[in-house]
Amino acid sequence: MSKTRVILVTSCKGGVGKSTVTANLGLALARSGHRTLLVDCDFGNRCLDLILGTEDEMLYDISDVCEGRVEMNEAAVTDRRSSNLLAVAAPYLAPEQHDFSVPDKEVFCSKLTAAGESMQLDYILIDTPGALGAPLELAAAAADSALIVSTHHPTALRAADGTASALSALGVTDCSMVINSFDPDSVLLGYRAGVIEMIDRAVLGIVGVIPYDPVFAIGGEHGELVYELDCRNVTAAFDNTAARIRGETVPLFTGWKGIKRKKLLKR
Ligand SMILES: Nc1ncnc2c1ncn2[C@@H]1O[C@H](COP(=O)(O)OP(=O)(O)O)[C@@H](O)[C@H]1O
Ligand SMILES: [Mg+2]
């Protein structure tokens, strides 16, 4: 088996869809036959379990693994939608708790490397908080590359630039962007940036564009992911993004219905 690819999913901005992208991209990779482990490193605000709908199954977390209480395969919950998708929670922080501790970087990296081999993983996706700090530094120590999640709002695109430079300082230089909550109408009306303009502005390659879809948003609040929901363009977008991450040449809007491709690409 080839080496496990460790990809961190981040942005120095909250609410842009990091956890949503981690979960749904993980499922898309898993459904394409690639064993994928999701690791929630949002230590202050665990939420991947809610997005996956596995909050009652996740008895152990990544700190339990790093502190030697359980092995990764015991802490990882297999997803009901694909046996190729596994996930490990971040520690639960009660509302009155404000402090959290982050595992030792060397231990974390060695646990991920060992899990990659013993669990025969193709991908490990690490979800991170929307800020610089110890959890991002931990994820960066283990990651080969980063997906920076942004929307096509100017503030988010600027934050994506800042995130890339922060990651570079942490030694992660292989960065690309996923544009989430993309609204085709706002581009056609001239309110928001199209794809070429975003590439120009952020100086980062775009590996995927995920449309905004209210059905997808509501599904995410109930532990449902793409393929279970009636949101065809979002599903196609995650399939395309997964294919591009695997190194396949797939045009960004393949499979989307009811959009004007050429106009969306213009600046
Ligand atoms: N493409 C999308 N379309 C509609 N809603 C989305 C989309 N992506 C994310 N959301 C919603 O945006 C909110 C924030 O997403 P989340 O993944 O928690 O962000 P982050 O992890 O960056 O803080 C959630 O309510 C989620 O359901
Ligand atoms: Mg999150």
Side-chain angles (χ1 to χ4, degrees):
M1 197 200 70
S2 59
K3 186 180 170 292
T4 311
R5 278 178 63 191
V6 183
I7 304 174
L8 75 84
V9 183
T10 197
S11 160
C12 294
K13 196 166 170 60
V16 288
K18 296 175 290 296
S19 304
T20 303
V21 167
T22 304
N24 288 279
L25 182 60
L27 181 58
L29 287 166
R31 280 177 53 112
S32 68
H34 295 82
R35 277 180 68 75
T36 302
L37 173 69
L38 311 179
V39 180
D40 191 347
C41 276
D42 194 345
F43 286 84
N45 194 17
R46 150 180 172 157
C47 72
L48 211 47
D49 56 333
L50 288 174
I51 293 176
L52 294 166
T54 51
E55 64 269 34
D56 295 334
E57 296 164 60
M58 290 181 140
L59 304 179
Y60 300 109
D61 59 58
I62 189 64
S63 291
D64 291 320
V65 176
C66 290
E67 288 163 24
R69 286 184 285 276
V70 288
E71 295 299 325
M72 191 79 87
N73 63 343
E74 296 170 281
V77 169
T78 303
D79 194 79
R80 67 176 193 278
R81 288 150 286 222
S82 168
S83 58
N84 280 329
L85 183 64
L86 303 117
V88 178
Y92 177 72
L93 203 64
E96 66 278 10
Q97 278 180 283
H98 302 294
D99 291 334
F100 56 83
S101 61
V102 169
D104 177 80
K105 273 183 207 158
E106 274 181 32
V107 174
F108 178 73
C109 292
S110 72
K111 294 285 180 186
L112 259 52
T113 305
E117 284 172 22
S118 65
M119 295 167 72
Q120 300 195 309
L121 300 170
D122 298 300
Y123 293 96
I124 297 177
L125 304 186
I126 309 178
D127 187 24
T128 63
L132 302 176
L136 183 64
E137 287 169 25
L138 181 74
D144 309 311
S145 63
L147 292 181
I148 298 176
V149 181
S150 177
T151 63
H152 57 150
H153 296 77
T155 49
L157 290 165
R158 182 180 289 170
D161 269 349
T163 307
S165 108
L167 286 173
S168 166
L170 294 173
V172 183
T173 50
D174 181 358
C175 299
S176 47
M177 264 199 307
V178 173
I179 303 297
N180 186 39
S181 295
F182 184 76
D183 173 12
D185 289 339
S186 70
V187 177
L188 297 183
L189 291 168
Y191 297 149
R192 298 221 178 94
V195 172
I196 306 288
E197 185 182 339
M198 284 187 280
I199 294 171
D200 261 7
R201 273 198 211 172
V203 206
L204 281 169
I206 294 181
V207 77
V209 177
I210 315 292
Y212 176 82
D213 189 324
V215 172
F216 182 53
I218 291 165
E221 289 165 23
H222 294 90
E224 292 178 323
L225 304 183
V226 280
Y227 310 107
E228 296 176 289
L229 299 163
D230 184 14
C231 50
R232 180 185 186 131
N233 285 353
V234 180
T235 307
F238 277 108
D239 280 339
N240 295 345
T241 308
R244 289 160 67 94
I245 284 174
R246 294 193 303 269
E248 296 166 25
T249 310
V250 179
L252 280 174
F253 296 113
T254 303
W256 291 37
K257 298 285 176 209
I259 55 154
K260 295 176 176 127
R261 279 177 183 67
K262 281 190 185 150
K263 288 193 175 166
L264 288 179
L265 285 168
K266 79 173 172 52
R267 42 182 75 233

